[in-house]
Amino acid sequence: MNFIIDALSWGCLLLGSFLGISGAIGIFSFKEFYSRVQAASVTDTLCVFFIMLGLILQSGFNLVSVKLIIAVGLLWLTGPLATHALVRSAYLTGLKPKLSITRKESAKRGKS
Protein backbone atom coordinates (compact mmCIF):
# COMPACT_ATOMS: atom_id res chain seq x y z
CA MET A 1 0.00 0.00 0.00
CA ASN A 2 2.86 2.38 0.77
CA PHE A 3 4.33 1.81 -2.68
CA ILE A 4 1.05 2.81 -4.36
CA ILE A 5 0.73 6.00 -2.30
CA ASP A 6 4.39 6.88 -2.94
CA ALA A 7 3.97 6.25 -6.67
CA LEU A 8 0.84 8.44 -6.82
CA SER A 9 2.57 11.11 -4.78
CA TRP A 10 5.62 11.19 -7.01
CA GLY A 11 3.42 11.17 -10.08
CA CYS A 12 1.55 14.23 -8.80
CA LEU A 13 4.80 15.98 -7.86
CA LEU A 14 6.33 15.30 -11.27
CA LEU A 15 3.17 16.40 -13.09
CA GLY A 16 3.01 19.61 -11.03
CA SER A 17 6.68 20.30 -11.74
CA PHE A 18 6.15 19.69 -15.45
CA LEU A 19 3.23 22.12 -15.46
CA GLY A 20 5.29 24.74 -13.65
CA ILE A 21 8.13 24.40 -16.12
CA SER A 22 5.75 24.51 -19.09
CA GLY A 23 4.24 27.71 -17.69
CA ALA A 24 7.71 29.25 -17.42
CA ILE A 25 8.44 28.23 -21.00
CA GLY A 26 5.10 29.76 -22.04
CA ILE A 27 6.04 33.06 -20.44
CA PHE A 28 9.19 33.27 -22.50
CA SER A 29 7.89 31.82 -25.76
CA PHE A 30 4.74 33.90 -26.28
CA LYS A 31 5.18 37.39 -27.70
CA GLU A 32 2.10 39.15 -26.39
CA PHE A 33 1.50 40.17 -22.78
CA TYR A 34 -1.98 38.65 -22.56
CA SER A 35 -0.83 35.30 -23.91
CA ARG A 36 2.02 35.24 -21.43
CA VAL A 37 -0.26 35.98 -18.50
CA GLN A 38 -2.75 33.31 -19.59
CA ALA A 39 -0.02 30.68 -19.91
CA ALA A 40 1.33 31.51 -16.48
CA SER A 41 -2.08 31.67 -14.81
CA VAL A 42 -3.49 28.38 -16.07
CA THR A 43 -0.37 26.36 -15.43
CA ASP A 44 0.15 27.99 -12.03
CA THR A 45 -3.28 26.93 -10.80
CA LEU A 46 -2.84 23.33 -11.93
CA CYS A 47 0.77 23.25 -10.75
CA VAL A 48 -0.28 24.23 -7.22
CA PHE A 49 -2.99 21.59 -7.17
CA PHE A 50 -0.79 18.68 -8.23
CA ILE A 51 2.22 19.62 -6.11
CA MET A 52 0.07 20.09 -3.01
CA LEU A 53 -1.78 16.84 -3.72
CA GLY A 54 1.55 15.05 -3.91
CA LEU A 55 2.62 16.58 -0.61
CA ILE A 56 -0.68 15.65 1.02
CA LEU A 57 -0.25 12.05 -0.10
CA GLN A 58 3.28 12.05 1.31
CA SER A 59 2.26 13.46 4.70
CA GLY A 60 -0.85 11.35 5.25
CA PHE A 61 -3.97 12.70 6.91
CA ASN A 62 -2.81 14.92 9.77
CA LEU A 63 -2.54 18.60 10.66
CA VAL A 64 0.03 19.19 7.92
CA SER A 65 -2.38 17.95 5.23
CA VAL A 66 -5.14 20.21 6.59
CA LYS A 67 -2.77 23.19 6.33
CA LEU A 68 -1.87 22.18 2.77
CA ILE A 69 -5.55 22.00 1.83
CA ILE A 70 -6.08 25.49 3.26
CA ALA A 71 -3.05 26.73 1.30
CA VAL A 72 -4.47 25.23 -1.92
CA GLY A 73 -7.78 26.99 -1.31
CA LEU A 74 -6.09 30.33 -0.72
CA LEU A 75 -3.86 29.97 -3.76
CA TRP A 76 -6.82 28.96 -5.93
CA LEU A 77 -8.64 32.12 -4.84
CA THR A 78 -5.76 34.57 -5.01
CA GLY A 79 -4.02 33.32 -8.19
CA PRO A 80 -6.83 33.94 -10.68
CA LEU A 81 -7.85 37.09 -8.83
CA ALA A 82 -4.33 38.53 -9.07
CA THR A 83 -4.16 37.58 -12.76
CA HIS A 84 -7.48 39.29 -13.41
CA ALA A 85 -6.33 42.44 -11.61
CA LEU A 86 -3.07 42.47 -13.57
CA VAL A 87 -4.78 42.03 -16.93
CA ARG A 88 -7.47 44.58 -16.13
CA SER A 89 -4.96 47.20 -15.07
CA ALA A 90 -2.90 46.58 -18.21
CA TYR A 91 -6.00 46.93 -20.38
CA LEU A 92 -7.20 50.08 -18.62
CA THR A 93 -3.79 51.73 -18.97
CA GLY A 94 -3.92 51.28 -22.72
CA LEU A 95 -2.27 47.95 -23.51
CA LYS A 96 -4.59 46.54 -26.14
CA PRO A 97 -4.57 42.90 -27.19
CA LYS A 98 -2.98 42.20 -30.56
CA LEU A 99 -5.21 40.36 -32.99
CA SER A 100 -3.78 37.53 -35.03
CA ILE A 101 -5.36 38.82 -38.24
CA THR A 102 -5.85 42.39 -39.44
CA ARG A 103 -9.21 43.97 -40.15
CA LYS A 104 -8.55 43.96 -43.88
CA GLU A 105 -7.93 40.22 -43.82
CA SER A 106 -11.07 39.74 -41.77
CA ALA A 107 -13.12 41.75 -44.25
CA LYS A 108 -11.72 39.72 -47.15
CA ARG A 109 -12.62 36.48 -45.41
CA GLY A 110 -16.13 37.69 -44.73
CA LYS A 111 -16.79 38.49 -48.41
CA SER A 112 -15.64 35.11 -49.72
Side-chain angles (χ1 to χ4, degrees):
M1 189 67 171
N2 268 345
F3 176 74
I4 295 171
I5 291 176
D6 283 342
L8 286 173
S9 172
W10 279 103
C12 288
L13 289 170
L14 288 174
L15 182 60
S17 299
F18 172 74
L19 289 169
I21 291 170
S22 67
I25 291 171
I27 290 173
F28 292 114
S29 64
F30 289 121
K31 296 179 182 177
E32 186 193 12
F33 171 76
Y34 294 103
S35 300
R36 289 178 177 179
V37 170
Q38 193 267 343
S41 173
V42 169
T43 57
D44 177 47
T45 305
L46 287 174
C47 175
V48 164
F49 174 74
F50 282 113
I51 288 178
M52 293 293 197
L53 181 63
L55 293 175
I56 289 169
L57 289 173
Q58 280 290 321
S59 71
F61 187 70
N62 53 17
L63 186 60
V64 173
S65 62
V66 172
K67 290 178 183 180
L68 288 171
I69 291 170
I70 292 171
V72 167
L74 288 173
L75 288 171
W76 270 11
L77 290 174
T78 57
L81 190 71
T83 302
H84 176 74
L86 180 68
V87 169
R88 182 174 166 86
S89 66
Y91 186 77
L92 291 177
T93 56
L95 184 62
K96 303 294 181 201
K98 295 178 184 173
L99 299 175
S100 61
I101 60 173
T102 62
R103 292 183 186 193
K104 290 179 183 178
E105 291 174 355
S106 177
K108 287 180 184 177
R109 289 183 184 182
K111 291 180 181 177
S112 325

